[in-house]
Amino acid sequence: MTHSQIDSIIEQNGGKGSAILSILQDLQAKEKYLPKEALEYIGEKLHIPLNKIYRIATFYRAFSLSPRGKHEVCVCMGTACHVRGAQRIVDQIKLALDIRPGETTKDKNFTLDTVNCLGVCAAGPVVAIDGQYFGKLSPAKVDGTLKKFRSDKKKGGDE
Ligand code: FES
């Protein structure tokens, strides 16, 4: 992201340090994470100490300090999903993507996260991919579900 792009985010938010939260939200929305260089630039420009910006960035779960994948895979680990086998789902996804929760695949296609409830407990175990819910999932269905989001990368493979 260029300095002029960051400048326009700052301007759109009134150009003041008091709007730091909205500025970070806009940066996150645009880049899908908060690049270190951008935070340094914002800190300099608005005279906000970098450690204060990092405190905000690490306090809110909506912010990420590392690059996110193109697709966000979010496994519900809440009680209702847990008793219906959420741990086996997350284990299968870890195996399929070769990452752990909080990590992004090397090809930047997927980021894996867990949450405590997605609000559709009766459909557990549930996984949300890019906001699309997949309920009553089983380990056997995991690969097929992920495949729907891999298609742009793996054309010409099996099937
Ligand atoms: S516990 Fe999984 S959706 Fe509520």
Side-chain angles (χ1 to χ4, degrees), residues 76 78-81 116-121 126:
C76 180
T79 309
C81 288
N116 288 330
C117 185
L118 285 166
V120 287
C121 311
V126 185

Side-chain angles (χ1 to χ4, degrees), residues 58-109:
T58 51
F59 182 78
Y60 294 98
R61 269 199 82 165
F63 295 134
S64 173
L65 292 170
S66 50
R68 309 283 295 174
K70 186 173 164 197
H71 302 294
E72 309 231 4
V73 181
C74 196
V75 185
C76 180
M77 299 300 284
T79 309
C81 288
H82 182 76
V83 297
R84 294 187 177 113
Q87 187 59 52
R88 290 189 302 134
I89 302 299
V90 83
D91 287 345
Q92 185 63 39
I93 295 174
K94 280 158 65 179
L95 205 66
L97 299 180
D98 196 24
I99 51 172
R100 290 175 300 176
E103 293 181 345
T104 297
T105 54
K106 283 197 186 85
D107 64 4
K108 303 265 190 294
N109 210 27

